[in-house]
Amino acid sequence: MKINYIKTIILASAMSLMCSCVGDLDVMPLDPNVMTSEDAYSTPEGYIQGLKKIYSVWALSGQDNAGASDLEGMDAGNTVLLRCWWTLQENTTDEAKCAWGDSWVSQVNGMIWNTAEVEPMEGLYHRAMYIVSLVNDYLEQLPNAPEGVDRERYNAEARFCRALAYYVLMDAFGNPPFATEETGSSLPEQIKRADLFDWIEGELNTIKSSLPEMTDEYGRADQHCVDFLLARMYLNSEVYTGNKRYTDCITACNNIITSNSYELADDYAELFMADNGENADARKEIIFPVIADGNTTQSYGIGAIILGSRSGSEGTVENYGCNGGWDGFRATGNLVRAFNYDAEESAWTADNINSFDNRAIFYSEGRSLDITTSAIGTFTEEGWAVYKYSNLNSDGTPGKNTTFPDTDFPLFRLGEVYLMYAEAVARGGEGGSTSKAVEYIQNLRKRANTVYSEVTESWLTENTSVSATTASVAYGNILNERCRELYWEATRRTDLIRFGLFTSNSYTWAEKGGVISGVGVDDKYNLFPIPVSDISVNGNLHQNEGY
């Protein structure tokens, strides 16, 4: 089957739309010289370009170049949606800390933010709402599409993108404003988190049959994407709604697994390399990517993660495919200890831990395992670097551009499906089996070439230490396995909240609570505050409790 690539024409879109502010959901052109939606949607080509514009918001800040922003007042580099989601899902947790001196960094590192503007939160909120506004406008135009437009599929894909954006808003902010193409209000009412969960679930189930079972164009949504998003929602349903939905999680995971459409990549590292979208071995595991191309989709989304994880004094084209580095993101000691390397810590190196578990892709030269003085300004001294993502191809050659990586971000992949299935079974969901759950975990470990003790059915439910600390939690083995398999893939904050550890004083890490050794924080931090920039223009919105 020929695989087409969505990234080849993302930038070919004739539309460069913006939303004047999120409180006002009218989609308006950035300036009079930019085409309006009525003009853009005058041809069949305009509809596919418009659809791909919607997809592109995850990867691109604007339409013209990496320095352009679709949203007025949003920094083009710092507020790419993928970058903001990743930053808030990782740098608030035990997996990553940032060394920069930007005003937001200490707040995010330490979980000490308030309602004052925090750039990644502003970016996440406004760009997710921008997707909502683009989709609403697109759906209003779609009934007028000329012949040659697959209205049913395009409608379903656009609605999937909107559902995904609302999922992000539900997870991060709890109670966002809510608008569809049918509501007709420029100042939307706020929706409760549980009600938004129900809406997203209903929307996904409604559109599923209108999507292909398996996409014919890498990067576009299909039925497996729907099942994956539903599985992730059901796994966290008790957090979002108060109701356990583990049986439904198992059903959604089984839909993906039994389709036999995906396999684990043979080489874990290749999932995060520059040619992961072209390399058939890596692509066979990826269900839904955020696509990057160093020449045609230039932005500081995946680029910030890759360049931000290297030092300017150490990064070279030869060792990771880009020039220099930004001395930004690196691991905490908790992340490294999650790999349970059986030796004295004084003897640990990145190489010997990688030989123990090849998912551990670190750089330890000259660095202490722990961040002990401050996360800021100590990138090459405290905390191991994480080299998981690379702009090198699987054959060792660099990507097309040494500033902007080619590496796609695997937002959904089969490895996580296996872990969701195992956890849902362990937590009492029906329709699966403990033997299958054990098999799936073992498959991940075999791929990692690990020498951990054998997984048993009792292993799934054991009360276990988290990342080799004194903290212990039920199903802790699964949480630790998720850390080893999925670290730096924008899942950790959600995981720690589900396990009751994100704000808890029982499990701490460097900088948590603004203290270098880590302390517990108020439970209000399980949600981010609704940006004041939106509350100030929409009187229908109310701040989250505690802020």
Side-chain angles (χ1 to χ4, degrees), residues 5-26:
Y5 289 87
I6 194 172
K7 63 185 172 189
T8 60
I9 56 173
I10 283 177
L11 286 186
S13 170
M15 299 184 308
S16 179
L17 303 176
M18 71 162 288
C19 153
S20 57
C21 65
V22 173
D24 178 355
L25 282 173
D26 293 333

Side-chain angles (χ1 to χ4, degrees), residues 27-274:
V27 179
M28 301 177 64
L30 187 62
D31 63 58
N33 297 317
V34 173
M35 198 176 289
T36 65
S37 60
E38 287 79 6
D39 293 331
Y41 293 129
S42 60
T43 65
E45 292 76 17
Y47 284 87
I48 188 60
Q49 291 168 354
L51 183 62
K52 293 184 179 185
K53 170 63 182 179
I54 293 166
Y55 280 107
S56 77
V57 176
W58 272 95
L60 302 177
S61 56
Q63 200 67 20
D64 296 328
N65 52 58
S69 178
D70 286 333
L71 300 184
E72 188 175 1
M74 294 276 103
D75 182 273
N78 294 344
T79 65
V80 178
L81 179 55
L82 172 63
R83 177 175 177 173
C84 293
W85 177 239
W86 184 90
T87 297
L88 295 176
Q89 286 286 88
E90 295 294 342
N91 276 265
T92 57
T93 77
D94 58 343
E95 289 189 349
K97 287 290 166 275
C98 185
W100 297 330
D102 302 53
S103 60
W104 62 264
V105 171
S106 61
Q107 297 177 67
V108 172
N109 279 347
M111 299 172 64
I112 55 173
W113 57 80
N114 51 40
T115 57
E117 181 176 315
V118 177
E119 193 168 44
M121 296 179 197
E122 294 281 325
L124 181 67
Y125 180 91
H126 289 292
R127 292 202 185 273
M129 288 302 300
Y130 178 50
I131 291 176
V132 172
S133 66
L134 286 175
V135 173
N136 290 349
D137 183 69
Y138 186 81
L139 295 177
E140 287 180 358
Q141 301 293 334
L142 191 57
N144 303 317
E147 290 186 13
V149 172
D150 187 343
R151 293 187 186 91
E152 182 179 7
R153 179 177 177 180
Y154 289 11
N155 174 282
E157 286 189 66
R159 290 165 70 181
F160 172 81
C161 291
R162 183 175 61 184
L164 177 59
Y166 270 132
Y167 161 78
V168 166
L169 291 162
M170 174 182 68
D171 183 87
F173 300 98
N175 312 287
F178 179 75
T180 71
E181 76 281 9
E182 298 175 346
T183 58
S185 173
S186 62
L187 296 175
E189 299 281 345
Q190 207 159 7
I191 188 170
K192 292 182 179 180
R193 198 182 207 185
D195 293 335
L196 183 53
F197 181 101
D198 290 343
W199 181 86
I200 298 171
E201 179 187 21
E203 184 80 345
L204 292 173
N205 284 324
T206 297
I207 66 174
K208 183 178 177 181
S209 62
S210 297
L211 292 167
E213 179 183 359
M214 183 80 172
T215 184
D216 56 354
E217 187 171 356
Y218 176 73
R220 290 175 68 177
D222 57 24
Q223 292 183 19
H224 303 307
C225 294
V226 168
D227 281 318
F228 187 102
L229 184 53
L230 285 170
R232 193 181 272 180
M233 287 173 55
Y234 292 142
L235 187 65
N236 294 283
S237 176
E238 190 170 10
V239 173
Y240 300 145
T241 71
N243 299 318
K244 299 176 181 180
R245 300 285 297 275
Y246 300 121
T247 295
D248 291 321
C249 179
I250 292 168
T251 299
C253 290
N254 272 331
N255 288 343
I256 298 170
I257 295 168
T258 60
S259 74
N260 297 315
S261 299
Y262 304 94
E263 301 174 48
L264 292 182
D266 296 334
D267 188 328
Y268 179 84
E270 290 183 3
L271 284 164
F272 312 99
M273 301 186 81

